[in-house]
Amino acid sequence: MTAVERTQREPGDDVLIEVKHLKMYFPVTSGVLVQRTVGYIKAVDDVSFVVRRGETLGLVGESGCGKTTTGRCVLQLYRPTAGSVLFDGEDLCSMNGRELRGMRRYMQVIFQDPYSSLNPRMTAGDIVGEPLLVQGLATDRRAYRERVAELLSLVGLRTSMADRFPHEFSGGQRQRIGVARALAVNPQFIVCDEPVSALDVSIQAQIVNLLEELQEKFDLTYLFIAHDLSVVRHISDRVAVMYLGHIVEIAGRNAIYATPLHPYTKALLSAVPIPDPVIDTQRERIPLAGEVPSPLNPPSGCVFHPRCWMATAECQQVIPELREVQTGHFVACIHAPGYGSP
Amino acid sequence: MATLLEVKDLRTHFFTREGVVKAVDGVSYAIEEGETLGLVGESGCGKSVSALSIMRLVPDPPGKTVGGEIIFDGQDLLKLPDSEIRRVRGKQIAMVYQEPMTSLNPVLTIERQLTESLELHLAMSKTEARREAVRRLEQVGIPDPERRLKQYPHQFSGGMLQRVMIAIALSCNPKLIIADEPTTALDVTIQAQILDLMKNLSREYGVSLLIITHNLGVVARYADRVNIMYAGKVIERGTARDIYRHPSHPYTLGLLNSVPRLDLPRTEKLDPIEGQPPDLMHLPAGCAFRERCRFAIARCAQEIPPLRPVSAGHLSACFVAETLLSRAKEHAA
Amino acid sequence: MAEQSGSIAVSSGVPIRGLMPGGAIWKHISRFARRKPLGAFGAVIALILIIVAVFAPFIATHDPAATNGALVYAPPGSQLLLGGDQLGRDVFSRLVYGARVSLYAGLLSAFIGASIGMVVGVASVHFGGKTDLIVQRIIDTMMAFPPLILAITIMAALGASLNNVVIALTIAYIPSAARVLRSQALAIKEMDYILAARAIGASHGRIIFRCMIPNCLALYIVLVSVFLGTAIVAEATLSFLGIGVPPDVPSWGGMLNGAAQTYVHLAPWLGVFPGLAIAIVVFAWNLLGDALRDVLDPRLRGTW
Amino acid sequence: MQAYIAKRCLLFIPTLLLATLIAFLLLRVIPGDPALVKLAGETGDASFTQAELHDLQVKLGTDKPLYVQYGKWMWGMLQLDFGQSMYFEEPVAQDLIDKFPITLELTVLAMLIATIIAVPLGLVSAIKQDTPADYISRFISIAGVALPNFWVGILIVYFLVLFFAWMPPLGYANLWEDPATNLQQFIFPALALGFFEMAFTARVTRSSMLEVYREDYTRTARGKGLAERVVILRHALKNALLPVVTISGFQFGRLLAGTVVIENIFMIPGMGRLLLDSVFHRDYTMVQAIVVVITVSVLVLNLVLDVLYGWLNPRIRYS
């Protein structure tokens, strides 16, 4: 057991999801007749974290950092290349298709795009009711209809809307349908994959509030994936920051926003504009040079070193592991205070 | 400062089979020389259409500018013949678009796309234009410009392409650059790079900037003055300080309250604007925001509130603007 | 921000207008007619064709097979509405019965060809991997055979008969149908709602029949309507060449067999009316197909 | 780009093999035994003895298993021996060498006529969208797609005979020896043959151009102040023609197939007519050989077009 596993999961902790050394490599093939693998896109590269029952873990990072892939691997929508995902102690990675289908009663997902995530040929009622049919949760026709109506009103839609098709709804309303679908099976755990980033600003808050209310009501556990750091701070209990397939920092919400330890987290936070010209101009800014390297050919050592202003020669060689430097605050940077020798 | 561009009572409508969409319906604003003006609103509020109307680039059909004036350099752009407006486009007023990936021609080299406006507007020779193109790419921070010129758009990342777009926009030393959601398609760290670059260059060359965005944070940092749009109209205008510190329209207030902020303590609950944005084809009588508004009074259902001053340089299109303003000032104090 | 209201979904990339189930069908038809007058015109002609084909015995004025020595090359209008042919048979009645052949061959081959193509395309995408690769290779190679050549070859092997024409045309349509529907299925497979279906534990069958097929249907209908037009031409071509339906069966193509060489001096109308019939019917089908495509799936514009 | 071309070329070989296999199976699997068909005659009821059948099977080589037959046939084709005609009982290769150039000339001519008229027609239609010019061009293209090529052929013959007392020329004049007569012979058939493709290409060009008109980069080009002519010629045209290049492989195939019809109407002694005659004579070896020639021509053209497409599209050129 590495330090990560030991300390992230403390005795007596009520851990619902435990992800250990998760790797998702997408093969890149080439060749004319016989396809052979010429390389891998390391979308997720050795990621470990836990999600405790009832909490929201925020997962942030820029596009292409592997946060969405991580979420899909946790749910086994992609079968990971390596590593394990324990749901209440049971390893999802070793389950077969049938066993996994059974597990879908307990874990669900909400997608980013409210347009492509709803089948345009099904009515809102059918979309919300489908999980009930698939999981055999509707005993009869009446119970089914009542449950669908209940779910729709739960997410703030009128039950009379059940017969409408997705294109008759606005973006925010569609996202509510997506939430209702996820709730249908009474899950314990929901992966929220950028659930508000495709919505208008004034609608985002509606959905965030809805997710929070539902969490309280049904004692839900969320893995909340987003690139908007302000929203993540609002909704999460703990936050993990990803960069190029790695988790570079995990800490409690207050700790990570008040005292970020990883240089990438610092830069990311400083880049978020504040809607107040006076405060915004007074903040310290850490401009990041360059762009995110290709996950096909990631840099050696610490993947962030080519853009890091603190990088030393050592950073090019050593892959920093995630270490606990303060209670509950993990960071993967050899220059972080309290990190110790690499 | 002198006024560079004045949009007066602009009306651009889309004539679709289902009905007339009044995307821009009586919008007025002015841009001073050297100023950065923000135009903020949610999708479908008409902010992009108003900018495209300035350049007369609204696709027709179905779009048509049915009324108003756009005074630039003493002449009404809407009345110029086609040959004259082409002399304004790219030379006097240039644009940076939202999607750098699709806004550059995939089958032409960066060089061709950079040099063509130089050759057209500044009558440069091929070699001169090439030299200038290299200089411009350097200026926007693209390493190895000589090699990059020979490449095609798909060989660039999104951030790099937006730099190229800025280089193209700057190339003929325009007086005004219109940036339509220039960073929406980019990551937050890249977004900061691009906005800083635009702001620095505009300061250096005294170019006016019109930044169109849905992100209140983006304009707070960069804009001198801000216009807030809702349902085809400007509903509030003022300095960035006015707008963010003393919002005096319920919509602006709602927008500011609904986004969680990193600089303030975390609140238990977000405070969203309830309801959905209105359907531009069937706008209700009176104020378009009335149905979502917490401060609505009976009058709001009958008349459209005009945009009027509430303090020096600060305008609001709300009947209860004064109440909101004094509340905001109390709150700030 | 992709917030969108109204009835146009942009980002889903999948047809959403039209094809609504339920009793609203008449409302849709009348709306279609208002928005696409040319398409409605095409639909009316298509309907007339169907009526003529179904009620041919009541519409025809003569027995299409009856020969009459006195009416050989009779000019139109005299005793026979559209004149007589080289055996003195009534051209008009033969045209009426020919509509049956055209419609039978067109409808069956378009329908079966597109259906098999859909099954192949969707299944290939669903199973993916090596299966998809092999299917793709075979489709690509089949596409190198011009459909008419494929049909002629098959007719050469099978011999002239109406049902053989249907078989030959069906086989000729499968590759292009499979190709078009495969790419549609590929696009659908990338949609989040497929992932959502997997996330709720939906079975493979459910994903194929509730998600993939319904979203291919618009394209399928468009495809059938387009194939139908080309199949009518193809049947006529085969019959014109003398390898389609047997010469004694009245068919539009067969009526033109040898026209260019034989009748030009004696009876030019023999070369005109059947061609006109084909042209009008196919023109109408194309108008209808175009309109259907615009309404059901605007992205397909210009793909054939 | 080199890798792309190499990949295309490598892919060409298995595709070619597969194509010959399909051509072979089409005629061998469906009808059963060619010897049986040949002996049974047109109506299928001619009488013959088992011994006769066996002799013929041995002669035609159809007594051996299918894979042996295919192997032999392929091996022969590699040495340019396309087999023995079942009807004329002489090698089919000579016939093909004589007739293929005639058909190819007709096809290429038709393709040229179609493309030269269609592309400008489609462009004008798109540029002048919803003007009378657009309506006329759209009418031509929708009507053109509806007119069967054999009927267009018949009408042209009628027109020529009735108004100019023209007769289909007997005998064939070689393009290189007597270009004037040759073109006189070919221009009308090529027109009839290319009519459909002209209409089709015009439609594709129009819709592709309209598509490009909606692209962001066209707006960018206008936003630079470029004249409409430059926007069209420099920015839109190349993008708009990419789909036109893609479809021309299928068009070429359709035109080759169309020669079967047109050569019969205009009495041109090409491969298309030979194919039809062979079908009537149940000359399977000949039919097979012609199908292979046509398919391989299409495949070769597709290969060329792939390379051209790669050259036109920098996304492919630089990847």
Side-chain angles (χ1 to χ4, degrees):
Chain A
M1 269 205 168
T2 69
V4 179
E5 288 155 31
R6 224 174 15 248
T7 45
Q8 271 196 40
R9 177 173 192 164
E10 283 149 13
D13 245 10
D14 193 5
V15 168
L16 181 64
I17 303 286
E18 188 168 359
V19 175
K20 290 196 246 179
H21 301 294
L22 187 73
K23 287 182 186 176
M24 185 73 225
Y25 292 179
F26 294 103
V28 178
T29 57
S30 167
V32 182
L33 300 177
V34 188
Q35 301 279 313
R36 79 205 128 74
T37 305
V38 291
Y40 290 98
I41 292 178
K42 299 179 176 178
V44 178
D45 199 6
D46 199 2
V47 158
S48 304
F49 60 88
V50 299
V51 190
R52 299 191 182 89
R53 206 179 292 276
E55 81 165 348
T56 299
L57 175 69
L59 191 58
V60 288
E62 296 178 283
S63 53
C65 72
K67 54 189 192 299
T68 291
T69 309
T70 304
R72 289 180 182 179
C73 283
V74 169
L75 292 177
Q76 305 293 311
L77 291 174
Y78 298 154
R79 299 310 291 260
T81 313
S84 59
V85 176
L86 305 184
F87 185 99
D88 225 355
E90 285 180 75
D91 188 4
L92 299 176
C93 295
S94 59
M95 288 186 184
N96 63 28
R98 202 179 45 78
E99 291 168 322
L100 262 179
R101 277 211 283 280
M103 287 303 290
R104 306 255 172 241
R105 279 186 63 167
Y106 308 108
M107 48 188 204
Q108 275 302 312
V109 57
I110 299 167
F111 293 94
Q112 167 175 13
D113 183 351
Y115 291 90
S116 82
S117 61
L118 304 182
N119 187 341
R121 296 262 177 245
M122 283 166 79
T123 62
D126 287 341
I127 291 170
V128 172
E130 193 178 25
L132 304 172
L133 299 178
V134 168
Q135 293 292 340
L137 296 175
T139 42
D140 60 64
R141 188 91 208 133
R142 226 187 87 219
Y144 170 82
R145 242 179 276 143
E146 276 171 11
R147 175 75 176 138
V148 169
E150 183 194 344
L151 285 164
L152 286 176
S153 53
L154 205 56
V155 296
L157 294 171
R158 288 198 304 278
T159 48
S160 60
M161 292 173 167
D163 296 328
R164 294 197 198 160
F165 285 89
H167 73 271
E168 297 173 76
F169 293 93
S170 72
Q173 288 173 324
R174 290 174 140 240
Q175 204 58 316
R176 287 174 193 267
I177 298 172
V179 174
R181 170 176 58 196
L183 285 179
V185 294
N186 260 326
Q188 300 175 14
F189 171 64
I190 299 180
V191 173
C192 308
D193 188 359
E194 305 243 19
V196 298
S197 49
L199 305 175
D200 260 328
V201 183
S202 72
I203 307 296
Q204 287 190 2
Q206 294 178 4
I207 301 296
V208 168
N209 278 357
L210 176 68
L211 290 173
E212 284 186 323
E213 281 160 28
L214 294 169
Q215 179 168 40
E216 211 165 296
K217 204 164 181 175
F218 299 109
D219 196 19
L220 295 168
T221 304
Y222 288 151
L223 177 63
F224 192 95
I225 299 165
H227 65 262
D228 184 331
L229 288 131
S230 334
V231 171
V232 167
R233 184 183 80 144
H234 176 81
I235 203 166
S236 310
D237 300 300
R238 289 187 306 127
V239 176
V241 180
M242 275 190 88
Y243 183 80
L244 210 60
H246 296 259
I247 288 184
V248 295
E249 188 165 0
I250 304 185
R253 173 218 310 150
N254 294 333
I256 206 161
Y257 283 89
T259 52
L261 296 178
H262 197 281
Y264 177 65
T265 314
K266 287 182 190 169
L268 206 55
L269 281 172
S270 86
V272 178
I274 303 290
D276 187 318
V278 182
I279 296 171
D280 194 65
T281 40
Q282 289 162 356
R283 290 163 73 223
E284 186 207 1
R285 299 273 310 278
I286 307 167
L288 268 191
E291 311 210 334
V292 185
S294 157
L296 185 59
N297 201 359
S300 64
C302 170
V303 285
F304 186 58
H305 84 257
R307 300 175 77 193
C308 185
W309 67 96
M310 290 166 73
T312 55
E314 219 172 352
C315 296
Q316 295 174 28
Q317 279 131 35
V318 187
I319 301 178
E321 56 163 5
L322 203 56
R323 276 194 202 167
E324 187 170 30
V325 292
Q326 286 156 27
T327 317
H329 198 149
F330 298 80
V331 67
C333 174
I334 58 172
H335 298 298
Y339 189 83
S341 58
Chain B
M1 267 193 284
T3 300
L4 177 69
L5 177 113
E6 197 174 359
V7 177
K8 286 186 196 165
D9 197 30
L10 181 71
R11 289 167 200 275
T12 300
H13 298 176
F14 287 85
F15 297 87
T16 68
R17 217 187 302 270
E18 285 81 20
V20 180
V21 178
K22 297 178 177 175
V24 175
D25 198 23
V27 161
S28 304
Y29 52 82
I31 304 168
E32 310 288 316
E33 273 175 21
E35 175 189 43
T36 298
L37 184 73
L39 200 54
V40 184
E42 294 176 283
S43 51
C45 73
K47 53 190 193 300
S48 296
V49 176
S50 88
L52 287 174
S53 302
I54 296 174
M55 296 284 270
R56 294 202 356 217
L57 286 174
V58 176
D60 172 20
K64 223 173 182 67
T65 298
V66 293
E69 286 173 43
I70 295 170
I71 309 293
F72 177 82
D73 235 5
Q75 46 189 354
D76 185 356
L77 295 184
L78 294 177
K79 294 210 175 74
L80 287 186
D82 279 356
S83 58
E84 293 291 319
I85 189 78
R86 282 206 296 270
R87 242 171 268 170
V88 175
R89 289 180 191 158
K91 171 116 175 58
Q92 314 272 0
I93 308 177
M95 264 190 100
V96 175
Y97 304 88
Q98 173 172 0
E99 298 278 349
M101 291 290 187
T102 57
S103 295
L104 286 164
N105 194 328
V107 302
L108 296 182
T109 58
I110 297 303
E111 174 174 358
R112 181 72 280 198
Q113 301 189 58
L114 242 170
T115 54
E116 63 181 353
S117 33
L118 294 166
E119 289 169 18
L120 174 73
H121 293 301
L122 305 181
M124 285 189 183
S125 70
K126 260 205 147 50
T127 39
E128 279 175 319
R130 216 189 109 77
R131 210 174 311 126
E132 179 67 9
V134 171
R135 196 177 74 83
R136 289 294 182 187
L137 285 190
E138 257 165 16
Q139 205 169 38
V140 296
I142 292 182
D144 200 0
E146 298 270 352
R147 188 177 60 90
R148 291 300 233 171
L149 270 186
K150 295 273 164 256
Q151 294 186 326
Y152 289 87
H154 73 276
Q155 293 162 294
F156 287 71
S157 70
M160 281 295 159
L161 278 186
Q162 202 58 301
R163 286 172 192 269
V164 172
M165 288 298 302
I166 293 170
I168 293 174
L170 272 176
S171 61
C172 297
N173 295 314
K175 292 182 181 153
L176 171 66
I177 292 180
I178 302 174
D180 185 2
E181 302 261 10
T183 59
T184 306
L186 307 174
D187 273 323
V188 63
T189 55
I190 308 296
Q191 180 177 324
Q193 291 175 1
I194 295 294
L195 286 168
D196 285 342
L197 175 73
M198 282 183 38
K199 186 70 186 176
N200 292 339
L201 289 171
S202 79
R203 214 171 272 152
E204 196 178 327
Y205 292 94
V207 185
S208 302
L209 264 181
L210 176 59
I211 298 183
I212 296 165
T213 178
H214 66 273
N215 188 332
L216 285 160
V218 164
V219 273
R221 187 181 289 173
Y222 300 98
D224 302 313
R225 288 192 307 142
V226 177
N227 287 292
I228 310 278
M229 280 186 77
Y230 188 78
K233 290 188 163 58
V234 173
I235 50 98
E236 186 167 3
R237 167 183 315 151
T239 61
R241 214 188 149 99
D242 280 340
I243 296 283
Y244 290 95
R245 287 272 157 129
H246 318 300
S248 51
H249 191 284
Y251 176 64
T252 317
L253 187 67
L255 272 189
L256 284 168
N257 285 347
S258 67
V259 290
R261 283 172 59 166
L262 283 185
D263 60 316
L264 298 180
R266 180 180 171 275
T267 50
E268 259 320 296
K269 261 206 161 339
L270 293 180
D271 188 13
I273 303 176
E274 295 302 335
Q276 311 290 330
D279 179 354
L280 290 177
M281 221 178 299
H282 309 102
L283 279 179
C287 175
F289 187 62
R290 174 178 47 94
E291 281 168 10
R292 305 173 75 186
C293 183
R294 284 173 208 177
F295 305 94
I297 55 175
R299 199 178 164 196
C300 303
Q302 282 126 35
E303 313 170 37
I304 297 177
L307 188 66
R308 62 201 172 83
V310 287
S311 66
H314 188 176
L315 294 84
S316 166
C318 178
F319 292 126
V320 297
E322 283 78 9
T323 325
L324 290 174
L325 186 65
S326 55
R327 267 182 40 152
K329 286 204 164 143
E330 260 170 56
H331 188 75
Chain C
M1 294 267 148
E3 183 80 8
Q4 197 97 31
S5 56
S7 62
I8 309 156
V10 173
S11 55
S12 73
V14 160
I16 44 112
R17 281 187 290 177
L19 267 195
M20 298 307 150
I25 192 96
W26 284 109
K27 211 179 82 197
H28 282 284
I29 289 178
S30 78
R31 209 179 71 174
F32 177 80
R34 255 180 293 121
R35 281 178 47 190
K36 296 279 167 193
L38 284 178
F41 169 75
V44 169
I45 301 276
L47 204 65
I48 292 174
L49 173 73
I50 293 170
I51 292 170
V52 167
V54 171
F55 298 104
F58 304 102
I59 295 167
T61 49
H62 294 75
D63 178 354
T67 56
N68 183 343
L71 293 173
V72 169
Y73 296 140
S78 52
Q79 287 134 300
L80 301 174
L81 194 56
L82 298 178
D85 69 1
Q86 69 278 22
L87 297 175
R89 295 173 298 193
D90 177 33
V91 170
F92 174 72
S93 301
R94 287 182 74 74
L95 277 182
V96 169
Y97 275 88
R100 283 191 161 182
V101 172
S102 282
L103 198 65
Y104 180 84
L107 209 59
L108 271 186
S109 59
F111 184 72
I112 303 173
S115 303
I116 298 178
M118 176 152 80
V119 172
V120 172
V122 172
S124 171
V125 166
H126 180 75
F127 292 111
K130 288 230 155 52
T131 321
D132 189 34
L133 212 66
I134 291 166
V135 170
Q136 221 184 319
R137 277 276 83 78
I138 293 175
I139 291 174
D140 279 354
T141 312
M142 292 287 282
M143 295 291 287
F145 291 79
L148 184 63
I149 293 297
L150 214 50
I152 289 176
T153 316
I154 296 165
M155 289 312 290
L158 295 177
S161 93
L162 182 52
N163 283 325
N164 288 349
V165 170
V166 173
I167 294 172
L169 293 183
T170 302
I171 295 175
Y173 284 136
I174 293 171
S176 49
R179 202 171 117 118
V180 174
L181 284 158
R182 182 183 164 276
S183 59
Q184 172 86 349
L186 264 185
I188 293 169
K189 200 184 180 182
E190 291 306 308
M191 291 285 156
D192 281 346
Y193 59 79
I194 299 291
L195 214 54
R198 284 178 51 210
I200 60 169
S203 59
H204 292 294
R206 196 175 179 90
I207 290 174
I208 292 180
F209 289 106
R210 288 285 281 171
C211 301
M212 310 268 276
I213 301 260
N215 285 293
C216 285
L217 273 184
L219 178 56
Y220 170 81
I221 290 171
V222 174
L223 218 50
V224 170
S225 82
V226 171
F227 282 172
L228 191 56
T230 57
I232 288 174
V233 174
E235 178 274 318
T237 305
L238 291 175
S239 301
F240 167 77
L241 291 174
I243 53 175
V245 292
D248 51 317
V249 178
S251 77
W252 295 346
M255 291 168 79
L256 290 169
N257 187 315
Q261 289 82 27
T262 324
Y263 314 135
V264 57
H265 292 293
L266 299 165
W269 58 88
L270 289 180
V272 173
F273 294 124
L276 211 56
I278 300 168
I280 291 172
V281 166
V282 175
F283 183 63
W285 271 115
N286 284 350
L287 289 179
L288 179 61
D290 272 11
L292 279 177
R293 184 200 54 202
D294 285 358
V295 172
L296 294 176
D297 201 343
R299 288 170 309 125
L300 299 171
R301 224 164 258 157
T303 42
W304 50 71
Chain D
M1 186 69 179
Q2 273 96 345
Y4 170 77
I5 294 175
K7 190 172 166 175
R8 292 284 131 183
C9 290
L10 264 174
L11 209 58
F12 185 67
I13 296 162
T15 312
L16 209 61
L17 277 173
L18 193 58
T20 57
L21 186 65
I22 292 170
F24 178 80
L25 290 178
L26 272 178
L27 282 159
R28 289 302 159 90
V29 171
I30 301 170
D33 188 348
L36 198 65
V37 176
K38 191 170 170 152
L39 283 174
E42 281 288 313
T43 45
D45 48 16
S47 59
F48 53 90
T49 63
Q50 275 305 315
E52 280 174 328
L53 178 65
H54 183 74
D55 285 348
L56 192 62
Q57 279 175 339
V58 172
K59 200 170 126 202
L60 296 176
T62 55
D63 55 330
K64 303 199 177 61
L66 271 181
Y67 64 88
V68 175
Q69 293 182 44
Y70 175 69
K72 257 184 83 178
W73 182 55
M74 270 314 290
W75 182 241
M77 277 201 294
L78 286 178
Q79 298 154 332
L80 289 179
D81 171 14
F82 284 74
Q84 199 73 7
S85 161
M86 287 187 190
Y87 185 76
F88 299 107
E89 306 195 346
E90 53 192 45
V92 302
Q94 191 51 48
D95 260 339
L96 289 178
I97 292 166
D98 289 346
K99 311 215 154 166
F100 181 62
I102 300 175
T103 298
L104 190 66
E105 186 196 340
L106 185 60
T107 307
V108 170
L109 204 58
M111 190 119 174
L112 279 179
I113 292 174
T115 315
I116 287 170
I117 299 174
V119 170
L121 199 67
L123 286 182
V124 167
S125 189
I127 292 163
K128 306 268 175 214
Q129 198 190 355
D130 294 322
T131 62
D134 180 29
Y135 293 137
I136 292 168
S137 128
R138 273 161 77 186
F139 181 79
I140 294 176
S141 55
I142 297 187
V145 175
L147 297 180
N149 57 9
F150 60 89
W151 196 47
V152 176
I154 291 171
L155 292 184
I156 289 179
V157 170
Y158 274 23
F159 179 78
L160 294 173
V161 172
L162 294 179
F163 292 96
F164 299 103
W166 172 90
M167 271 307 185
L170 300 167
Y172 158 75
N174 188 300
L175 176 65
W176 311 118
E177 285 158 14
D178 187 357
T181 315
N182 175 283
L183 282 180
Q184 268 178 33
Q185 276 180 340
F186 275 68
I187 196 79
F188 291 108
L191 204 62
L193 182 60
F195 195 73
F196 174 91
E197 298 305 334
M198 180 201 77
F200 188 82
T201 311
R203 290 186 66 176
V204 174
T205 310
R206 177 178 184 272
S207 51
S208 159
M209 191 69 181
L210 286 177
E211 200 81 3
V212 170
Y213 258 17
R214 281 194 287 272
E215 296 287 347
D216 288 348
Y217 56 77
T218 315
R219 186 181 63 189
T220 309
R222 291 212 181 92
K224 286 178 186 169
L226 298 174
E228 200 55 26
R229 191 175 41 86
V230 182
V231 173
I232 291 165
L233 292 179
R234 189 185 293 161
H235 285 268
L237 195 60
K238 208 170 161 193
N239 285 294
L241 286 183
L242 283 175
V244 179
V245 171
T246 321
I247 59 160
S248 43
F250 301 119
Q251 293 197 308
F252 182 74
R254 277 200 299 249
L255 288 173
L256 267 180
T259 59
V260 178
V261 173
I262 297 301
E263 287 179 358
N264 271 285
I265 294 173
F266 288 90
M267 311 284 206
I268 294 170
M271 201 174 64
R273 233 175 103 184
L274 182 64
L275 174 61
L276 194 63
D277 289 342
S278 313
V279 169
F280 286 133
H281 296 146
R282 309 210 156 221
D283 189 346
Y284 291 139
T285 339
M286 186 67 96
V287 173
Q288 229 170 46
I290 294 175
V291 170
V292 166
V293 168
I294 289 177
T295 312
V296 170
S297 316
V298 174
L299 285 172
V300 169
L301 184 74
N302 273 336
L303 184 68
V304 174
L305 288 173
D306 272 348
V307 174
L308 180 67
Y309 188 85
W311 177 74
L312 278 173
N313 191 347
R315 250 173 229 281
I316 290 175
R317 208 184 328 158
Y318 294 95
S319 62

